[in-house]
Amino acid sequence: MTRTIYINGAYVPESEAKISVMDRGFMFGDAIYEVTAMLDGRLIDNDLHLARFKRSVGEIGIPLPLPIEDIKQVQIELVRRNRMTDGTIYLQASRGVQERNFYPAEGLAPTFVAFTQAAKLDGTPKQIDGVEVALLPDPRWNRRDIKTVMLLGQVLVKCQARAEGFGDVWMHEDGAVTEGGSSTAFIITRDGAVVTRDNSHAILPGCTRKAVLELAEENGLKIEERPIRLDEIAGAAEAFLTSASSFVQPVTRVGDHVIGDGKPGPLTRRLQEIYLAAARSGDKII
Ligand code: PDD
């Protein structure tokens, strides 16, 4: 079955989904993206992802390409046409197409594309056994709260981590963890506090982060929203990361430090289960 892709108002076969070489997303990384997961026919945390999409385009002055309700309909239509029950739905809005020029022309129409990527996201080896992450300097710009397609920094640190034998990467700056290469970083202290960096321009405000913190609080866990200092990683009882495509994923090693006994920790497992149970309680769209 050939994949159907949405591009500027049309649903077309992948081979016909083309954008201009002059697209500002291609030339300047002048574009915003968003990723929503699908699990067993359900969209996960989608309202949070669509709200962040709206915020991100607003922060760089790209008009929202469609009203949020219509974007949701595009997601649902794509899922149905591609018969996808598990995987991710990607959205991207660039500022539009014009002759190469740093200064955007007035009144550009955004280029809006969306596609599905089928994948089983739960029960993966990383979900079960956890992941070892490298700890590398954060090479990115200073507005990481905006979900732009300027991902070269993350591409390079992820590749370096893989070359050094790690399964993923956490980044750091000024003696503290910022976030994962494409995820939010958490530790659990020996006294059971769930620690993750407070939202600011330094990190992407993770949608999974928000959902997990709410569930942790409902379940009586202690939460500390503050930077994770590099010198406290060695003493952490547990560690995990969150993202739309990895849910709650145990982390068993951070750079030189094995976390706990090198196996996914009990509170991480509990949060993983609680998050998946909440995700599976939503309505199916397919
Ligand atoms: N990335 N931080 C960064 C830098 C990210 O790229 C992501 C997600 C997150 C987690 O955010 P959320 O929980 O809302 O997915 C944090 C997506 C999955 C990606 O780029 O594919």
Side-chain angles (χ1 to χ4, degrees), residues 33 35 49 52 140 147 154 179-184 204 206-209 242-245:
Y33 78 106
V35 179
H49 288 285
R52 190 173 62 191
R140 300 172 300 161
K147 199 163 171 68
Q154 283 124 293
E179 57 187 331
S182 54
S183 62
T184 307
L204 187 75
C207 298
T208 321
R209 170 194 185 282
T242 63
S243 79
S245 48

Side-chain angles (χ1 to χ4, degrees), residues 63-107:
L64 195 60
L66 290 174
I68 289 294
E69 263 316 304
D70 295 5
I71 295 179
K72 206 182 275 185
Q73 288 313 312
V74 168
Q75 292 175 306
I76 293 171
E77 186 61 25
L78 271 183
V79 161
R80 294 197 172 141
R81 288 188 188 221
N82 291 309
R83 299 200 190 100
M84 186 180 81
T85 57
D86 292 81
T88 52
I89 308 168
Y90 179 90
L91 306 174
Q92 180 174 319
S94 83
R95 198 178 302 277
V97 180
Q98 69 177 113
E99 189 63 29
R100 185 175 185 277
N101 189 327
F102 282 85
Y103 301 100
E106 289 286 320

Side-chain angles (χ1 to χ4, degrees), residues 153-169:
Q154 283 124 293
V155 167
L156 294 181
V157 288
K158 274 181 180 267
C159 289
Q160 184 181 340
R162 175 176 286 184
E164 292 173 8
F166 292 93
D168 210 330
V169 61

